[in-house]
Structure formats: C-alpha cells, structure tokens
C-alpha cells in the first residue's frame, strides 16, 4: 500500500508524508526520543501524540506529559507535539497522516504491537504502522521502570532528559509529603 494517499486535496499535496507517533509518554524517555529522531529521518513531519486517556493511572497529567515531550524534542526539526483522545486512527486521519510509528524494543513488545497494528489497519486500511528499533542502549528502557527506579531513589539521569528527571523528583517528593 502506498504511504501517500492517491487522492489528495490541494492543501495536502505539498505536505509530504506525515507520521503520528502515539503513546502514553508517562513520562517520555531517551528511548522515545531516539525513535522520534529516527522517524524524522524518514518522514516529512512527525506528530508526537500523547494519549489523554491511558488505561493505567498515569503519574503525570496529560498537560504535564505534553509539556515534558515538548521540552524534550525542542530543537528536533519536523516534530510537533499534541494530545489526543479516542480512536487513534481517527486522530491520524484528522492530522492527514498515513503512518503510525511505534518503537519495538524486544520480542516481548511484539505481540501487543502486532495486535494493535492489525486492529488499526482493520479500522482504517489507509493507516500503515511501522516499527522502529531504538538504539541498543535503550532496548531495556521503559517509562514504567524509570518511574519505579525514581520512586526508590535510583539514578535515572542516563535514561530520561534532565527536565523529566526533575519533574519526577518533584512528583515523588510531593507524594511522600502527602
Ligand atoms: O505508550 P503506550 O501506552 O503503549 O500507548 C498505547 C496507545 C496510546 C498508542 C494505544 O493505547 C492507543 O492507540 N490508544 C488510543 C485508543 C485506540 O485507538 N485504541 C485501539 C487501538 S487498536
């Protein structure tokens, strides 16, 4: 399937291929940033889409997650940051995108990702999912582990941008005071 739709409205013609990189980003990690950079080498625009309603209770509000993503990707060309609610494929269509980018770290990610990609294809056959593998150093990295390490006072400075580290410290200090 062509990544570029065959029939494009006039204002879409010069936009090139737009990719959406969706996720909870609770919080964004260096692994996510690595995937974003790789995606910008392949697509004309990469829209990082922070899911408003994630199933698990997030540590950060959607506003906080968006702000942390924005400051983490400042300076990376072609990237925009947004939040979304509801079906991903609807959001992708609204953005006039044709590609969903997901990071694939290990075989353990595969089953969930495969299921989601095929379901999104079922919902909209024009949406193609591509998987990008982060740098080896980040294959073990996840937002969940980063939070677990941070709450226990471990060093996460190599795993997340400095502002994310500070935000986590503030969050956990606040929780400990409560
Ligand atoms: O970072 P995550 O938590 O793995 O991201 C999952 C996310 C937000 C991409 C996924 O849950 C999603 O797309 N949610 C939107 C709702 C939707 O479209 N569900 C059907 C997907 S098959």
């Amino acid at each position: 399937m062509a990544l570029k739709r065959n029939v494009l409205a006039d204002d879409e013609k010069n936009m090139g291929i737009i990719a959406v990189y969706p996720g909870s980003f609770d919080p964004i990690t260096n692994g996510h940033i690595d995937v974003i950079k790789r995606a910008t080498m392949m697509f004309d625009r990469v829209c990082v889409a922070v899911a408003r309603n994630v199933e698990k209770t997030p540590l950060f509000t959607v506003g906080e997650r968006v702000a942390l993503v924005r400051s983490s990707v400042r300076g990376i060309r072609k990237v925009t940051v947004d939040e979304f609610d509801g079906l991903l494929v609807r959001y992708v269509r609204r953005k006039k995108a044709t590609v969903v980018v997901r990071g694939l770290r290990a075989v353990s990610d595969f089953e969930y990702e495969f299921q989601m990609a095929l379901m999104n294809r079922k919902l909209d056959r024009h949406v193609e999912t591509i998987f990008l593998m982060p740098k080896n150093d980040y294959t073990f990295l996840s937002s969940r582990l980063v939070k677990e390490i941070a709450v226990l006072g471990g060093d996460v400075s190599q795993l997340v941008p400095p502002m994310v580290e500070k935000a986590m410290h503030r969050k956990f200090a606040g929780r400990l005071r409560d």
Side-chain angles (χ1 to χ4, degrees):
M1 195 210 73
L3 294 180
K4 220 165 178 173
R5 287 186 215 269
N6 290 330
V7 184
L8 290 175
D10 281 348
D11 61 339
E12 293 174 55
K13 278 183 183 148
N14 297 320
M15 290 169 77
I17 302 178
I18 302 168
V20 168
Y21 179 33
S24 310
F25 301 103
D26 185 43
I28 187 165
T29 68
N30 290 345
H32 293 127
I33 295 168
D34 184 85
V35 169
I36 293 168
K37 285 182 181 160
R38 285 172 202 281
T40 62
M41 290 189 267
M42 302 175 67
F43 301 108
D44 299 291
R45 190 142 62 83
V46 176
C47 180
V48 182
V50 180
R52 201 175 297 159
N53 292 333
V54 287
E55 273 176 32
K56 0 159 196 184
T57 310
L59 173 64
F60 292 101
T61 65
V62 69
E64 289 168 332
R65 285 181 278 138
V66 167
L68 289 173
V69 174
R70 282 219 171 99
S71 48
S72 305
V73 300
R74 195 164 290 143
I76 308 177
R77 281 181 57 241
K78 303 199 245 178
V79 178
T80 58
V81 184
D82 200 2
E83 60 184 69
F84 81 102
D85 211 356
L87 276 184
L88 174 63
V89 288
R90 281 205 192 120
Y91 173 80
V92 169
R93 226 175 291 147
R94 252 198 338 270
K95 284 286 165 184
K96 302 190 186 336
T98 46
V99 178
V100 169
V101 170
R102 292 285 289 172
L104 202 56
R105 293 164 299 187
V107 180
S108 51
D109 281 344
F110 184 76
E111 205 173 323
Y112 168 63
E113 293 297 337
F114 187 68
Q115 201 180 11
M116 205 157 63
L118 292 184
M119 184 55 83
N120 282 330
R121 179 186 285 167
K122 183 94 189 144
L123 293 171
D124 186 338
R125 67 190 171 86
H126 297 293
V127 174
E128 200 65 42
T129 301
I130 66 144
F131 297 106
L132 296 179
M133 285 167 290
K135 201 166 149 190
N136 281 356
D137 305 13
Y138 301 135
T139 49
F140 57 87
L141 182 50
S142 72
S143 299
R144 186 183 61 80
L145 280 184
V146 162
K147 284 181 281 192
E148 194 173 311
I149 296 165
V151 78
L152 297 171
D155 179 10
V156 293
S157 60
Q158 306 293 306
L159 310 176
V160 293
M163 53 278 205
V164 174
E165 188 184 3
K166 281 194 201 108
M168 274 193 298
H169 283 156
R170 276 198 302 272
K171 204 51 107 171
F172 291 133
R175 285 192 173 188
L176 291 175
R177 274 199 306 270
D178 291 342

